[in-house]
Amino acid sequence: MSLVVYLAAVVFGMSAVLLYRPSTVVRNPLNLSTCVAIVLGSLVFVCAAPPTLSAVNSLTGTPNFGAPLTYGMLSAYSCSMLVLLINWRGGPRPLVRRLVLRSIAAYGLLVLAIVVLFALSDADTERLRDLDTYYANTPFMREMILLYLAGHSAAMLAVCLVCLKWAREVTGLLRTGLRLILLGVLLDLAGFQLTKYTAVVARWSDHDLDFLSTDVAPPMASLGALVCSAGFVLPRLVPPVRAQWQARRDHRRLAPLWTLVRSASTAPRPPAARWQLPQARLQWREVSIHDALLSLAPYFDHGVRERVRDAALRMGRSPHEARLQAEAAMLADAARRAAAREEPPETGRSYRLHATEVPGPSGLVELARALDRLPPAPAAPEGAVPPPMAGTMAQPEEPHVA
């Protein structure tokens, strides 16, 4: 059971690491309150594990000292959830600050009451797993147990109400995240708190339902925490993962265009480029391709472009498709001329490719697809230097030394 609790603490705490960078947490109250709530939730699981309770009791020399520590930590976590909701809702900063201070003051008094009640109680027998039911009828301990459960229940019910309201007002991943948080809180309410209440009340009537508190409540609380952590992480983690995946696809789609123009690019290759994330690799490839297009611009033959464009229009292609096909043919011809070190054609006018008119890699991807669909070049007469195939770059011949 302790392994499950520790695992829940690790996963719950790791969600804060996945969500935010330390440099951006402090500047944003919402990010800060989210991280504090996640960290406190993970600490609750660490403190509640029997090995931790035993170690705390041994270090302090006080039997069951881990109980007020755990219950105080749980109350702090409940308070952090309310503060998170207040910051999430937003509003005028003075009002938000006032509500946050009131929540901290209320749960601060709750923690103080837990400590005072424990100090007044007679709890000399160490109980690591069944303290709530063992001391359910003990004066002051009984009140302490009910107090920490009531404080936690109030915060979780508030979270439920807010998640239900907001889930109807938002869409997409945020709605999915809210529903997961709501599910995690419901698991906590029904699987942890309700079972705790039931086991404690059963003790009051001389019934033994201790297994609900010792065997059912801890794994249900762990499961609820895991689901909550998924709700926190999903809306923030999925978009960057999607962006990296899309960048990887665009990087691969640009391969035909990059193969054609790479020898004309003068952009320096970044260090350790192979170990960079897809977005960084795509950005470098975009910059390098644009640099190569500038180098090849003087070799653009507008006669080639116009002939291919007119032929594509006669075949029923749309003006946009005809333009892309014509630009791909003109670029392949320019790459051949540059590789053969021919003189640039006398065009007397400049031309801007469609790929340089649109932001992002979409225009370059369209040009790469058009290059990939170009028909193969016709066979050259014997003894002539053949032009490069579409999507390839002819390399200059090595000089012959007599």
Side-chain angles (χ1 to χ4, degrees):
M1 191 65 67
S2 299
L3 180 60
V4 174
V5 174
Y6 283 131
L7 179 62
V10 171
V11 175
F12 200 53
M14 282 298 295
S15 60
V17 178
L18 294 173
L19 281 174
Y20 305 107
R21 296 179 180 178
S23 59
T24 62
V25 168
V26 181
R27 296 194 297 266
N28 190 322
L30 179 58
N31 292 350
L32 179 60
S33 57
T34 303
C35 284
V36 169
I38 293 174
V39 171
L40 286 176
S42 62
L43 288 177
V44 169
F45 286 106
V46 172
C47 292
T52 305
L53 293 173
S54 178
V56 170
N57 296 339
S58 299
L59 288 174
T60 59
T62 304
N64 301 311
F65 186 86
L69 175 64
T70 302
Y71 299 157
M73 195 70 69
L74 182 62
S75 300
Y77 168 67
S78 302
C79 178
S80 69
M81 292 296 288
L82 291 179
V83 172
L84 171 59
L85 292 177
I86 294 170
N87 284 310
W88 203 346
R89 182 181 180 182
R93 289 308 306 167
L95 175 61
V96 172
R97 189 178 299 109
R98 186 162 58 251
L99 292 175
V100 168
L101 291 177
R102 287 178 180 176
S103 300
I104 294 175
Y107 277 86
L109 291 175
L110 177 63
V111 173
L112 179 62
I114 289 173
V115 174
V116 171
L117 288 171
F118 177 78
L120 294 174
S121 66
D122 183 12
D124 294 333
T125 303
E126 184 181 59
R127 310 301 297 185
L128 300 179
R129 298 183 68 246
D130 61 346
L131 182 140
D132 291 344
T133 52
Y134 185 85
Y135 289 107
N137 291 310
T138 303
F140 300 112
M141 286 292 287
R142 174 181 59 239
E143 287 77 12
M144 182 192 74
I145 294 166
L146 289 177
L147 199 58
Y148 96 81
L149 285 174
H152 187 52
S153 299
M156 294 301 102
L157 286 173
V159 173
C160 275
L161 294 176
V162 173
C163 288
L164 281 173
K165 179 183 177 181
W166 287 350
R168 293 192 295 264
E169 299 175 359
V170 298
T171 58
L173 286 173
L174 184 56
R175 173 183 286 182
T176 304
L178 285 172
R179 288 177 174 175
L180 286 173
I181 294 173
L182 176 61
L183 178 59
V185 172
L186 289 176
L187 287 171
D188 183 276
L189 283 169
F192 173 74
Q193 297 176 46
L194 184 59
T195 54
K196 286 282 187 180
Y197 282 122
T198 303
V200 169
V201 172
R203 276 284 185 166
W204 294 350
S205 56
D206 295 328
H207 291 86
D208 186 356
L209 296 178
D210 292 5
F211 74 95
L212 292 176
S213 177
T214 57
D215 298 331
V216 177
M220 292 300 293
S222 301
L223 179 60
L226 294 177
V227 176
C228 273
S229 65
F232 283 122
V233 168
L234 189 67
R236 298 297 298 268
L237 191 61
V238 170
V241 169
R242 283 179 177 173
Q244 295 291 347
W245 181 258
Q246 183 62 40
R248 181 177 179 273
R249 293 180 62 188
D250 289 340
H251 185 271
R252 296 183 63 181
R253 288 171 177 173
L254 289 178
L257 178 57
W258 175 237
T259 302
L260 179 70
V261 304
R262 66 186 305 169
S263 63
S265 175
T266 59
R269 189 173 182 85
R274 179 173 296 182
W275 304 106
Q276 289 181 332
L277 291 174
Q279 279 187 315
R281 297 174 64 190
L282 175 64
Q283 184 179 12
W284 177 81
R285 179 162 285 188
E286 286 183 72
V287 171
S288 301
I289 290 176
H290 280 293
D291 180 77
L293 294 179
L294 287 175
S295 300
L296 293 174
Y299 294 92
F300 288 168
D301 189 336
H302 299 290
V304 172
R305 177 178 58 82
E306 291 168 357
R307 286 194 300 272
V308 175
R309 181 198 61 196
D310 294 341
L313 290 173
R314 286 195 298 270
M315 294 175 62
R317 302 288 177 83
S318 68
H320 181 66
E321 291 175 342
R323 178 183 179 181
L324 287 176
Q325 187 173 346
E327 289 179 349
M330 180 178 66
L331 181 60
D333 179 75
R336 179 191 62 80
R337 292 175 182 271
R341 299 184 181 179
E342 297 181 5
E343 289 295 325
E346 297 292 338
T347 59
R349 57 193 174 102
S350 60
Y351 181 80
R352 189 176 182 187
L353 295 171
H354 169 72
T356 62
E357 294 177 345
V358 294
S362 59
L364 295 176
V365 169
E366 285 186 315
L367 182 58
R369 288 177 175 174
L371 277 170
D372 222 14
R373 290 193 295 263
L374 280 180
E382 186 177 354
V385 178
M389 300 292 288
T392 61
M393 183 65 182
Q395 301 294 330
E397 296 181 359
E398 294 293 333
H400 178 69
V401 181

